[in-house]
Amino acid sequence: MELKPWKKLSEEVIATNPWWEYRKWIFELPSGKLADFHLPYRGDFVMVVPVRNDGKLLMVNGYRPFVDSMSLEFPAGGVESGEDYEVSAQRELNEEGQVRAEKLDLIGEGFSNGGGTNARYKAYLGTELSHQSTQHDETEEFELHWYSVTEIDEKIHSGDILDCHTISVWYQAQPALKKYLDQISKSR
């Protein structure tokens, strides 16, 4: 049996806030039946895996109210309307990690959760970091932590890192990260 796309019949914005919209979509299924879908509709986002010249990687730990828990993650955030992804990545690095990357390399992209939201992401490896202090939104207060590759792997396997985007991007980062770490070890 060949899968067929669904036909969107209507789309309605139910509620909005500064971060996303709540939308209701009505689809006609290939069988002819109608199906309602309710979802948080948000813009795309970026995530950055920042790595220093000593091989340590920056992670941020902050409170996430939707899961009522602290969460250890790579710096990430929404792409503002009309904003270039790399500009967004630098902004998030600065706001959350207080650093700037002289070099950003695209390491992957994907859906946030294709069954529950429309959001897509692009992930970057950030290198040649420099400190850059900034004012941050009071709803985004983070502790900064620098870890080795081994420590991050251990934190994922022990359950200290639970954020699915961080885990997915960590996997996507491996080829570029290995190449970068090999280059900096040869230059020492």
Side-chain angles (χ1 to χ4, degrees), residues 133-145:
S133 59
T134 186
Q135 296 288 329
H136 64 274
D137 185 312
E138 72 177 316
T139 64
E140 292 192 350
E141 187 174 13
F142 295 100
E143 299 170 337
L144 307 182
H145 298 278

Side-chain angles (χ1 to χ4, degrees), residues 141-164:
E141 187 174 13
F142 295 100
E143 299 170 337
L144 307 182
H145 298 278
W146 294 92
Y147 296 114
S148 68
V149 169
T150 301
E151 289 171 316
I152 292 174
D153 284 336
E154 289 170 354
K155 288 188 174 302
I156 289 171
H157 293 291
S158 70
D160 290 337
I161 296 174
L162 294 173
D163 178 65
C164 66

Side-chain angles (χ1 to χ4, degrees), residues 80-98:
E80 294 177 3
S81 180
E83 185 177 42
D84 180 80
Y85 284 87
E86 287 190 16
V87 169
S88 178
Q90 288 288 9
R91 179 177 41 76
E92 291 300 331
L93 264 179
N94 182 259
E95 288 175 3
E96 295 184 4
Q98 301 175 6

Side-chain angles (χ1 to χ4, degrees), residues 82-120:
E83 185 177 42
D84 180 80
Y85 284 87
E86 287 190 16
V87 169
S88 178
Q90 288 288 9
R91 179 177 41 76
E92 291 300 331
L93 264 179
N94 182 259
E95 288 175 3
E96 295 184 4
Q98 301 175 6
V99 295
R100 174 173 174 70
E102 286 302 315
K103 189 171 181 195
L104 285 173
D105 293 313
L106 182 65
I107 55 174
E109 53 189 298
F111 296 113
S112 174
N113 170 4
T117 182
N118 67 307
R120 295 173 177 256

Side-chain angles (χ1 to χ4, degrees), residues 49-51 55-59 145-149 152 170 177:
V49 179
V51 58
K56 294 283 187 166
L57 296 104
L58 175 64
M59 298 197 78
H145 298 278
W146 294 92
Y147 296 114
S148 68
V149 169
I152 292 174
W170 181 241
L177 181 59

Side-chain angles (χ1 to χ4, degrees), residues 4-24:
K4 296 179 183 173
W6 301 353
K7 180 179 178 184
K8 188 190 307 182
L9 300 177
S10 67
E11 179 175 336
E12 178 184 1
V13 176
I14 306 296
T16 62
N17 67 45
W19 300 279
W20 50 269
E21 296 177 344
Y22 180 71
R23 293 187 183 185
K24 176 184 174 186

